[in-house]
Amino acid sequence: MAGRALIKLALFGTPVNHSASPRIHQAFAKQAALEVDYRAIDTPLGSLSKALGAFTDRGGQGCNITLPLKHEAMELAVHCSDHVALSEAANTLVRDAHGWHAHSTDGIGLVADLNSAGINPDGKKVAILGAGGATASALAALLDANPSEVGIYNRSERTAFELAYRHQHLGPVFGTGLNSLAGAGRFDLIINATSIGHQGQVPPINPGLFQPDAWCYDLNYGVAAVPLKNWCTGHKVQYRDGLGMLVEQAAASFRLWTGFEAETKSVLEALQRA
Ligand code: NAP
């Protein structure tokens, strides 16, 4: 009897050596009873084309893309989803006979994890700090959740402004400088999508920015999440890190590659215990 076909998947970006993605996708493969080879391949900026070519030659069918290659991935694709065309950032590629098709599952992952935590953006005033690839990828799905307002606050004001401008037909969104946050009133939800936690720092927030029942959602997880988590604990602000988003965006990618709907709760719990 022939064995099950091996599905060849990969993660491209740098650094990727400590990524949880291979473990997450092996857990999904086990649920689906599929044979999956998912490798993290360290790939510097400017070399995705070569790496993807080698992966295609050995039968690669799908891949995730992380920092700093999300824009490069979009440019290499033969087709981009609507979200990717708007955000100019792809985190998932799917191979067919014509070439690589670019998708973004970050926004699906963010909104799914907000839902799991009982955080509903509907009608809420939301601030998203940072305007990099993650904010770009997640913005359309966040606006789809019907917030009353999404303010993008970024160190480089122009990036925030341009990102908001491209998305303004999808909902009430504006972009401004991070230094405007202090005078912006109170929020129901503040999403940290900066990479400042990797520098051991906290974004410029203060307790007066949070409504009494507000949440702080941090896209970061692990060591990079520690500074903001400690700040929120110290100021009695409800906090959730981005590990659940990581699992949910992975499940959405796995669905694109295999059609299988993975169960995410047990996979997240296993990662939280590790
Ligand atoms: P990115 O494209 O490099 O963008 C980084 C963002 O952080 C930019 O807006 C940048 O502002 C801002 N920033 C960096 N250092 C700062 C500082 N010292 N002060 C103020 N702002 C600063 O990164 P990304 O892909 O958007 O990812 C952002 C974070 O989310 C990363 O830590 C990443 O690990 C995490 N992430 C998590 C998930 C998940 O599934 N949980 C998914 C994607 C990303 P400028 O534009 O002014 O440079």
Side-chain angles (χ1 to χ4, degrees), residues 183-249:
R186 290 181 184 270
F187 295 91
D188 301 300
L189 171 62
I190 295 183
I191 299 172
N192 176 36
T194 72
S195 53
I196 198 170
H198 289 281
Q199 301 151 32
Q201 294 173 35
V202 174
I205 50 174
N206 66 71
L209 292 170
F210 294 89
Q211 292 285 6
D213 289 334
W215 277 88
C216 181
Y217 188 95
D218 192 357
L219 261 60
N220 294 282
Y221 48 87
V223 176
V226 171
L228 185 53
K229 184 178 185 177
N230 288 345
W231 187 96
C232 288
T233 306
H235 291 89
K236 298 191 170 30
V237 172
Q238 302 179 90
Y239 172 89
R240 185 171 176 90
D241 73 21
L243 200 54
M245 173 180 167
L246 182 76
V247 174
E248 294 292 350
Q249 61 80 28

Side-chain angles (χ1 to χ4, degrees), residues 1-7 29-30 32-35:
M1 196 174 78
R4 285 171 296 188
L6 183 66
I7 302 172
K30 195 170 172 194
L34 292 169
E35 289 289 335

